[in-house]
Amino acid sequence: MDKEFVKEVTNIEEDFAKWYTDIVLKADLADYTGTKGCIAIKPYGYAIWENIQKYTDEMFKKNGVKNVYFPVLIPEKLLQKEKEHVEGFAPEVATVTEAGGKELDEKLCIRPTSETMFCDLYSKWLKSWRDLPFVYNQWCNVLRWEKETRPFLRSREFLWQEGHTIHETKEEAEERTLQMLDIYAEVIENILAIPVLKGKKTEKEKFAGAEATYTVETLMHDGRAIQAGTSHYFGQNFTKPYDVKFQNREGKDEYPYQTSWGISTRLIGATIMAHGDNRGLKLPPKVAPIQVVVVPVMMKKEGVVEKTTEVYEKLKQEFRAEIDLRENYTPGYKFNDWELRGVPIRIELGPRDIENNVCVIVRRDTLEKETVDLEKLSEKIKETLEDIQKNMYEECKKIREERTTTAENLDEFVKNIEEKQGYIKTMWCGKEECENKIKELTGAHSRCIPFKQEKLGNKCVCCGDNASIMVVWGRQY
Amino acid sequence: MDKEFVKEVTNIEEDFAKWYTDIVLKADLADYTGTKGCIAIKPYGYAIWENIQKYTDEMFKKNGVKNVYFPVLIPEKLLQKEKEHVEGFAPEVATVTEAGGKELDEKLCIRPTSETMFCDLYSKWLKSWRDLPFVYNQWCNVLRWEKETRPFLRSREFLWQEGHTIHETKEEAEERTLQMLDIYAEVIENILAIPVLKGKKTEKEKFAGAEATYTVETLMHDGRAIQAGTSHYFGQNFTKPYDVKFQNREGKDEYPYQTSWGISTRLIGATIMAHGDNRGLKLPPKVAPIQVVVVPVMMKKEGVVEKTTEVYEKLKQEFRAEIDLRENYTPGYKFNDWELRGVPIRIELGPRDIENNVCVIVRRDTLEKETVDLEKLSEKIKETLEDIQKNMYEECKKIREERTTTAENLDEFVKNIEEKQGYIKTMWCGKEECENKIKELTGAHSRCIPFKQEKLGNKCVCCGDNASIMVVWGRQY
């Protein structure tokens, strides 16, 4: 039974991409739809997003962020005021040209991001330095017409939050940019149990129109990287063309300094790819929609359903719990099913357990089984959930360490990336042509210039010129 | 000072529509944008929506509703499968015809509602009666290309939740339809403090494609009605054309029975219009983003700012509290400002109060002032908030009662609606031509056939034919 079931999911070492799609579909997270490139997020997948949202939104509010909602449609002309920005996004924009049965006088773009709309409104509202800062955020959908799509990771429509702030001074804006990056790091490390690499994007990889882009980078099970969240500092790049200005303390007109920052449903994809294994999904307890599932064994024996229900009812008060009383399935099938769906703890309860006032608890992360006194169950689960959360983070960190190498020249670089994928740390001269060459040769992009710099010699891995910057590289999703 | 300030808002009895717009803009709830017919919901307005959402979503989850997210874009062909539905919505649909710089092969419609997308996916997922029911909901944006718009009440884009369910039996679906209507009634009465009238829409007024539409109707300050929430029973009207079917308990193919239900940001508009007065917005405590504001008097006197801050810090633990330490404004301005913004309780604290260890609390609903011992402040505020919530509901109910009349013939109908606006109760023969005639003559639509029927004679108010149905009529927003 076990074997048959596991067969349904592609082996993770053989074809990671296919394994990923299998998990998305079979763990009931999402499905394809009649709208090409757009997915339907199903209840189990959406509940993960709700947990991420809840935690993140609380941290936002503690840090002075206020939520708003601005229009999904942006007049084409408004989108086009900042040159770099429009060049970056124009190829991905979807456009409404007809409405109410008539052709529109002016085309309306579906937001790919909302810097332009926020600037337009800020220009209307901002008068004096006393009004600043504006620290607004919206949870919403956006559209980017991607050519190749993959559920959660690269979908034409996705859900995200986009924060847009303006400030009186450069320093305050830069501080906000990094403050939000820290919040993302905490969400991803603490809730999703994925260690992050914090740093600054190179000029080539930064956001269209930004002065600087900061990133939290994560490494997946197969050694590919995912950019999990970004925070941008714009300086006055947008506030000038959009004519956002204020009267400063000296009574003069000045353009404020701007930031934006976002995380998206892509984090669900990262969670799947960072933690999963051949048994399926593996969810960190803090984000798992179901933390504990109770499965009866020999359901038809007298008292089993009753006792299982009693245990479930009690656990439900404290944990996100579920009970599996499906009649047409064997316990073996159910065990596999809940493992596939990544539930952190499974509880098995049969007639003999009931006689002895115990149950068996099974951890999804290590698959370890343990018999636990029913009196002590609640406490045991609490401890175990904490331990799983910690252990998953550590496991993920270990994989990242194993997959992180250094390279002094291109031969080493190529050898490392072929052998281990993962992160490759090198020195870099700062020239975009070296970045381009590395990409062509290896498929790796610069992930970031880490905040924690290491001195790995003084020569660029590509051209051999003098280099003082340490860059981390990797292939990406 | 007071007088000058109040002048800024249009008199509510003179021009209710303009009063409404003034409140929306001046209480900082929303603003117009460069996208015609679409508003920007500002932090203060959005916080009201978050409170409505939180309460409603909790009730949904208690009642077995699961959240999902489905695509905003619906292929044109998919939208067109149900005849009545497409006729009802086609004139309001916005269409994407270009994306990624190219013309699309197939036009994509921005969802005006998602019955069609849900049916398409349900047809893919549903196999057996064991899978039923599907009780899914999404919180999202929708677009309807309205010709005349008004902030919150009728915006081209708005936020809402749309629940879509399918069931094994007609009875179960009908039960779900009414269950959700009850939840809406509770949200609107208990949280927004607006009494509702529950009933069934006439054939003419029901949702395009529905078998039956149920509604919770509310009456505004000026006597016009707002449809605050609707719940639809579809029978198999959609499941048949969309080929949603399941194997029933007898092993035969059958089409499930469907419902949908929604409330939207329109509720913010209803809250403004139901409760506001010449001083501005009046928010029920349960939905108010700020429940208590603390305003210092004679801020520059020693110890005032410190004591005000101390009181605020303490209140913040228990209530949604705010402190107003703005330097450039007089206390009088601040009092007016917080009244305009509808904060339920204001606390005034000056040097003499501090000496006596008291403060003054002012209720927004009655404008009553009371001196309260600082030791007992927290308890007093708790009681007062409860009392305000209750009182606002009662006030609103009183206005509704005053504005509700009965009519036996068209002359009475016309007289009543000219004098009182409001609800007019009449008997009705059931013919659509009578409904049409009443609308032409008076501008009133049938609000609903109330669940609680009264016997007001036996003749139709319009044609005088035999009539056994009691209908409530009213002009609407």
Side-chain angles (χ1 to χ4, degrees):
Chain A
M1 185 91 206
D2 276 40
K3 274 206 169 162
E4 257 181 45
F5 187 78
V6 171
K7 260 191 205 157
E8 289 186 28
V9 176
T10 306
N11 187 295
I12 194 169
E13 311 300 340
E14 279 170 20
D15 187 343
F16 189 71
K18 193 153 185 315
W19 170 88
Y20 175 75
T21 313
D22 281 357
I23 301 300
V24 168
L25 299 177
K26 287 175 205 281
D28 248 353
L29 299 171
D31 202 353
Y32 300 107
T33 70
T35 308
K36 220 183 142 210
C38 295
I39 58 168
I41 306 181
K42 297 178 85 170
Y44 197 55
Y46 196 78
I48 298 175
W49 182 237
E50 284 184 308
N51 288 337
I52 295 172
Q53 263 191 309
K54 192 170 169 244
Y55 188 87
T56 310
D57 198 63
E58 270 169 26
M59 288 198 68
F60 281 177
K61 281 175 177 149
K62 271 185 211 153
N63 285 276
V65 177
K66 291 185 175 178
N67 286 339
V68 298
Y69 186 79
F70 292 177
V72 65
L73 296 179
I74 302 176
E76 197 176 40
K77 266 177 224 151
L78 187 61
L79 200 66
Q80 292 174 338
K81 279 192 189 175
E82 208 287 328
K83 199 173 156 288
E84 274 184 43
H85 189 66
V86 67
E87 278 171 14
F89 281 104
E92 294 186 352
V93 167
T95 314
V96 176
T97 59
E98 296 171 12
K102 285 181 194 157
E103 200 161 320
L104 295 176
D105 293 336
E106 185 181 17
K107 289 183 185 179
L108 296 170
C109 302
I110 300 185
R111 64 181 160 225
T113 176
S114 302
E115 277 74 12
T116 58
M117 180 56 81
F118 274 75
C119 278
D120 194 45
L121 287 161
Y122 285 167
S123 77
K124 192 172 171 187
W125 298 334
L126 180 62
K127 308 278 178 232
S128 141
W129 64 271
R130 288 178 203 273
D131 304 327
L132 290 170
F134 286 173
V135 183
Y136 292 176
N137 170 67
Q138 65 182 3
W139 292 93
C140 64
N141 57 340
V142 285
L143 240 94
R144 295 180 188 176
W145 216 254
E146 306 279 358
K147 289 202 182 71
E148 279 182 53
T149 60
R150 194 192 297 262
F152 295 119
L153 292 183
R154 198 171 294 277
S155 198
R156 283 182 176 170
E157 184 188 12
F158 57 91
L159 301 180
W160 80 341
Q161 60 66 219
E162 47 177 328
H164 299 274
T165 74
I166 49 173
H167 304 265
E168 192 183 351
T169 65
K170 187 177 180 336
E171 292 68 34
E172 196 185 297
E174 281 176 335
E175 200 181 306
R176 175 58 73 171
T177 315
L178 295 175
Q179 180 187 2
M180 300 319 289
L181 194 76
D182 283 342
I183 290 179
Y184 291 159
E186 195 181 317
V187 170
I188 296 161
E189 296 203 322
N190 189 20
I191 300 300
L192 304 181
I194 308 172
V196 303
L197 173 69
K198 274 196 238 177
K200 189 177 172 177
K201 286 280 179 189
T202 61
E203 284 298 302
K204 177 179 155 67
E205 297 289 336
K206 73 176 191 192
F207 184 82
E211 195 99 322
T213 290
Y214 300 93
T215 180
V216 275
E217 295 286 324
T218 56
L219 200 67
M220 302 297 103
H221 181 92
D222 67 337
R224 278 187 193 250
I226 283 182
Q227 173 182 302
T230 47
S231 189
H232 315 290
Y233 170 68
F234 290 107
Q236 300 168 318
N237 289 356
F238 281 76
T239 56
K240 279 181 182 170
Y242 285 85
D243 202 30
V244 185
K245 58 188 177 213
F246 66 100
Q247 202 173 54
N248 67 18
R249 288 172 202 249
E250 284 76 46
K252 286 184 186 157
D253 272 1
E254 192 176 339
Y255 297 104
Y257 300 83
Q258 188 185 359
T259 85
S260 83
W261 23 274
I263 54 171
S264 75
T265 36
R266 162 170 260 222
L267 287 181
I268 301 173
T271 305
I272 303 168
M273 283 195 168
H275 298 299
D277 63 17
N278 266 327
R279 295 191 161 256
L281 186 60
K282 207 191 273 183
L283 288 174
K286 286 192 188 169
V287 85
I290 303 168
Q291 297 173 308
V292 196
V293 60
V294 192
V295 184
V297 177
M298 301 179 80
M299 261 175 79
K300 280 170 190 161
K301 291 268 174 176
E302 206 191 319
V304 172
V305 167
E306 289 75 4
K307 189 68 186 178
T308 314
T309 307
E310 188 192 312
V311 169
Y312 160 69
E313 290 291 341
K314 212 173 143 195
L315 290 177
K316 203 171 68 166
Q317 311 297 319
E318 257 186 286
F319 309 99
R320 295 191 288 270
E322 189 58 84
I323 183 170
D324 188 347
L325 294 179
R326 284 179 290 178
E327 278 177 2
N328 283 355
Y329 299 90
T330 63
Y333 177 92
K334 291 178 182 179
F335 298 165
N336 281 327
D337 193 29
W338 294 110
E339 281 176 5
L340 173 59
R341 286 161 70 91
V343 174
I345 294 178
R346 174 173 85 237
I347 293 174
E348 304 172 4
L349 203 74
R352 202 170 298 167
D353 301 314
I354 295 170
E355 241 170 62
N356 298 321
N357 206 38
V358 297
C359 68
V360 175
I361 88 167
V362 188
R363 288 171 66 137
R364 174 65 182 89
D365 61 335
T366 57
L367 300 172
E368 282 165 4
K369 287 188 175 202
E370 194 176 341
T371 301
V372 178
D373 197 310
L374 280 182
E375 305 303 320
K376 292 177 187 155
L377 184 58
S378 154
E379 204 184 323
K380 179 71 189 175
I381 288 177
K382 208 176 146 204
E383 281 168 20
T384 309
L385 288 174
E386 277 167 27
D387 198 61
I388 293 173
Q389 184 80 30
K390 216 176 120 192
N391 183 51
M392 285 181 69
Y393 178 83
E394 293 302 331
E395 274 301 309
C396 204
K397 203 168 176 183
K398 220 176 77 187
I399 292 174
R400 186 176 75 165
E401 274 158 23
E402 285 166 6
R403 291 210 189 252
T404 301
T405 56
T406 59
E408 284 188 14
N409 53 54
L410 282 180
D411 287 347
E412 268 182 40
F413 197 119
V414 171
K415 186 169 163 279
N416 290 357
I417 204 144
E418 290 309 327
E419 273 176 16
K420 296 209 165 188
Q421 293 260 25
Y423 287 151
I424 300 180
K425 302 195 279 192
T426 80
M427 297 309 286
W428 174 55
C429 61
K431 288 194 295 285
E432 199 164 311
E433 54 183 282
C434 287
E435 243 181 308
N436 289 335
K437 193 171 172 192
I438 288 173
K439 197 194 147 192
E440 253 170 60
L441 206 64
T442 68
H445 290 249
S446 66
R447 305 314 315 152
C448 67
I449 302 164
F451 291 157
K452 281 188 192 152
Q453 285 282 299
E454 294 168 50
K455 185 88 187 158
L456 307 168
N458 54 15
K459 283 185 179 163
C460 176
V461 66
C462 183
C463 66
D465 283 359
N466 276 349
S468 59
I469 306 164
M470 192 265 273
V471 168
V472 170
W473 311 79
R475 288 178 184 154
Q476 71 188 22
Y477 277 103
Chain B
M1 184 94 206
D2 276 40
K3 271 205 171 165
E4 256 179 49
F5 186 78
V6 170
K7 259 191 207 159
E8 288 186 29
V9 175
T10 305
N11 187 295
I12 193 168
E13 310 299 341
E14 279 169 21
D15 187 344
F16 189 71
K18 192 151 186 316
W19 170 87
Y20 175 75
T21 313
D22 280 357
I23 301 301
V24 168
L25 299 177
K26 287 175 204 281
D28 247 352
L29 298 170
D31 202 354
Y32 299 107
T33 70
T35 307
K36 219 185 145 209
C38 294
I39 58 168
I41 307 180
K42 297 178 85 170
Y44 197 56
Y46 196 78
I48 297 176
W49 182 237
E50 283 184 310
N51 288 338
I52 295 172
Q53 264 192 309
K54 192 171 169 240
Y55 188 87
T56 310
D57 198 63
E58 270 170 26
M59 288 198 66
F60 282 178
K61 281 176 177 148
K62 271 185 210 154
N63 285 276
V65 176
K66 290 184 176 179
N67 286 339
V68 298
Y69 187 79
F70 291 178
V72 65
L73 297 178
I74 302 177
E76 196 177 42
K77 264 177 225 150
L78 187 60
L79 200 66
Q80 293 175 336
K81 278 191 190 175
E82 207 286 330
K83 199 172 155 288
E84 274 183 42
H85 188 67
V86 67
E87 278 171 13
F89 282 104
E92 295 186 353
V93 166
T95 313
V96 176
T97 59
E98 296 170 12
K102 284 181 195 158
E103 199 161 320
L104 294 176
D105 294 335
E106 185 180 18
K107 290 182 185 179
L108 297 170
C109 303
I110 300 185
R111 64 181 160 223
T113 176
S114 302
E115 277 74 11
T116 58
M117 180 55 82
F118 274 76
C119 277
D120 194 44
L121 287 161
Y122 285 167
S123 77
K124 192 173 170 187
W125 298 333
L126 179 62
K127 308 279 178 231
S128 140
W129 64 271
R130 287 178 204 273
D131 304 328
L132 289 170
F134 286 173
V135 184
Y136 293 176
N137 170 67
Q138 66 183 4
W139 292 93
C140 64
N141 56 342
V142 285
L143 241 96
R144 295 180 188 176
W145 216 254
E146 306 279 357
K147 288 200 183 71
E148 280 182 52
T149 60
R150 195 192 296 260
F152 295 120
L153 292 182
R154 198 171 294 278
S155 197
R156 283 182 177 171
E157 182 188 13
F158 57 91
L159 301 179
W160 78 342
Q161 60 67 217
E162 47 177 328
H164 298 274
T165 75
I166 49 172
H167 304 265
E168 192 184 350
T169 65
K170 186 177 183 333
E171 292 69 33
E172 197 185 295
E174 281 175 336
E175 200 182 306
R176 175 58 74 170
T177 314
L178 295 176
Q179 181 187 1
M180 300 319 290
L181 194 75
D182 283 342
I183 290 178
Y184 292 158
E186 195 181 317
V187 170
I188 296 160
E189 297 204 321
N190 189 20
I191 300 301
L192 304 182
I194 309 172
V196 303
L197 173 69
K198 274 195 236 178
K200 191 177 170 176
K201 287 280 180 189
T202 61
E203 284 298 301
K204 177 179 158 66
E205 298 290 336
K206 73 177 192 193
F207 182 83
E211 196 98 323
T213 290
Y214 301 93
T215 181
V216 276
E217 295 287 325
T218 56
L219 199 67
M220 301 298 102
H221 181 91
D222 67 337
R224 279 187 193 250
I226 282 180
Q227 173 182 302
T230 47
S231 188
H232 315 290
Y233 170 68
F234 290 106
Q236 299 168 318
N237 290 356
F238 281 77
T239 56
K240 280 181 181 169
Y242 285 85
D243 203 31
V244 185
K245 59 189 176 212
F246 66 99
Q247 202 173 53
N248 68 17
R249 288 172 201 250
E250 285 76 45
K252 286 182 186 157
D253 273 0
E254 193 176 337
Y255 298 104
Y257 299 83
Q258 189 186 357
T259 85
S260 83
W261 22 275
I263 53 172
S264 74
T265 36
R266 161 169 260 222
L267 287 181
I268 301 173
T271 305
I272 302 168
M273 283 196 169
H275 298 299
D277 62 17
N278 267 327
R279 294 191 163 256
L281 186 61
K282 207 191 272 182
L283 287 174
K286 286 192 187 169
V287 84
I290 302 168
Q291 297 173 308
V292 197
V293 62
V294 192
V295 184
V297 177
M298 302 178 79
M299 260 175 80
K300 280 170 190 162
K301 292 266 174 178
E302 206 192 319
V304 173
V305 167
E306 289 74 5
K307 190 67 185 178
T308 314
T309 307
E310 187 191 314
V311 169
Y312 160 69
E313 290 291 340
K314 211 173 144 196
L315 290 177
K316 204 172 69 166
Q317 312 297 318
E318 257 186 286
F319 309 99
R320 296 191 288 269
E322 189 59 83
I323 184 169
D324 188 348
L325 295 179
R326 284 180 290 177
E327 279 177 2
N328 283 355
Y329 299 91
T330 63
Y333 179 93
K334 291 179 182 179
F335 298 164
N336 282 327
D337 192 30
W338 294 110
E339 280 175 6
L340 173 60
R341 286 163 69 93
V343 174
I345 295 178
R346 173 175 84 238
I347 293 175
E348 305 173 5
L349 203 73
R352 202 171 299 167
D353 302 313
I354 295 171
E355 243 170 60
N356 298 320
N357 206 38
V358 298
C359 67
V360 176
I361 87 166
V362 188
R363 289 171 65 138
R364 173 65 182 89
D365 60 336
T366 58
L367 300 173
E368 282 165 5
K369 287 188 175 205
E370 196 176 341
T371 301
V372 177
D373 196 311
L374 281 180
E375 304 303 319
K376 291 178 187 155
L377 183 58
S378 153
E379 205 183 322
K380 178 70 188 178
I381 288 177
K382 209 178 145 201
E383 280 168 21
T384 309
L385 288 175
E386 276 168 28
D387 197 61
I388 293 173
Q389 182 81 31
K390 216 175 122 195
N391 183 51
M392 285 181 68
Y393 178 85
E394 293 303 332
E395 274 300 309
C396 203
K397 202 168 176 182
K398 222 176 74 187
I399 291 175
R400 186 176 77 165
E401 274 158 24
E402 286 167 4
R403 290 209 189 254
T404 301
T405 56
T406 60
E408 283 188 17
N409 53 53
L410 282 180
D411 287 346
E412 268 183 39
F413 197 118
V414 171
K415 185 168 163 282
N416 291 356
I417 205 143
E418 291 309 325
E419 273 175 16
K420 297 210 166 191
Q421 291 261 26
Y423 287 151
I424 300 180
K425 302 195 277 193
T426 79
M427 297 308 286
W428 173 57
C429 61
K431 287 195 295 284
E432 200 165 310
E433 53 183 281
C434 287
E435 244 182 308
N436 289 335
K437 194 170 170 191
I438 288 172
K439 197 194 146 192
E440 255 170 58
L441 207 64
T442 69
H445 291 248
S446 67
R447 305 312 315 152
C448 66
I449 302 162
F451 291 157
K452 280 188 194 154
Q453 285 282 300
E454 293 168 51
K455 186 86 187 160
L456 308 167
N458 54 15
K459 283 183 178 163
C460 177
V461 68
C462 184
C463 65
D465 284 358
N466 277 347
S468 59
I469 305 163
M470 191 264 272
V471 168
V472 170
W473 312 79
R475 289 179 185 154
Q476 72 189 21
Y477 278 103

